[in-house]
Amino acid sequence: MDKIPKEIALQAAKILDEKKAKDIVILDISRLTVMADFFVIASGNNAIHVRALADEVEEKLSLYSIFLRGKEGYKEARWVLLDYGDVIIHIFNEPDREYYDLERLWADAVSIDVDSQEDFSYNIS
């Protein structure tokens, strides 16, 4: 059975939270575009932290047989994009997150409050 995109997004947010990412946001963009159903957006403290966050997400999701389709920006680690098909994870350093301001660009998306999810420790296995 395929993993449900919302579950993948919630699990990615949990992984990012456990690795001390900042300002984690999930946007439901399914009604706005066909490119994906969810964006997960988070910030790291510096390039090393941004790479560590990306590595952790990739490693932990692979344990659930959820594999990357593409990865961009890893070397520079200013904005790392992890493409999981229906879920796209954006990990920024803080200045670049403020500059690109995806939350403003996708202001019509439904924001999912990660902290209010009853089962934030979603089990997608």
Side-chain angles (χ1 to χ4, degrees):
M1 181 173 151
D2 287 338
K3 307 299 185 215
I4 297 172
K6 185 175 181 181
E7 292 174 354
I8 296 169
L10 287 167
Q11 187 65 33
K14 178 182 180 233
I15 294 164
L16 290 164
D17 182 60
E18 289 171 352
K19 198 73 172 171
K20 307 296 185 215
K22 296 179 183 178
D23 303 320
I24 303 165
V25 175
I26 299 175
L27 298 179
D28 180 342
I29 60 169
S30 61
R31 293 186 182 109
L32 304 174
T33 183
V34 296
M35 89 168 80
D37 289 338
F38 294 92
F39 280 169
V40 178
I41 305 169
S43 298
N45 296 322
N46 53 46
I48 293 168
H49 190 212
V50 168
R51 279 190 212 100
L53 292 168
D55 291 342
E56 189 79 358
V57 169
E58 185 176 1
E59 179 183 330
K60 294 271 175 83
L61 287 182
S62 72
L63 297 175
Y64 299 104
S65 299
I66 302 168
F67 300 103
L68 270 177
R69 293 186 181 181
K71 177 169 38 177
E72 298 291 331
Y74 184 83
K75 182 177 178 184
E76 299 81 13
R78 295 175 60 190
W79 175 1
V80 176
L81 183 145
L82 303 174
D83 181 355
Y84 285 94
D86 290 332
V87 178
I88 299 176
I89 302 165
H90 302 271
I91 306 170
F92 287 94
N93 68 24
E94 291 182 78
D96 286 288
R97 182 170 179 176
E98 289 176 24
Y99 178 79
Y100 290 103
D101 199 2
L102 292 185
E103 290 97 322
R104 181 185 56 77
L105 291 174
W106 291 90
D108 292 338
V110 175
S111 181
I112 297 172
D113 183 2
V114 176
D115 295 329
S116 72
Q117 293 298 308
E118 287 183 23
D119 190 4
F120 184 57
S121 60
Y122 237 90
N123 184 358
I124 58 174
S125 56

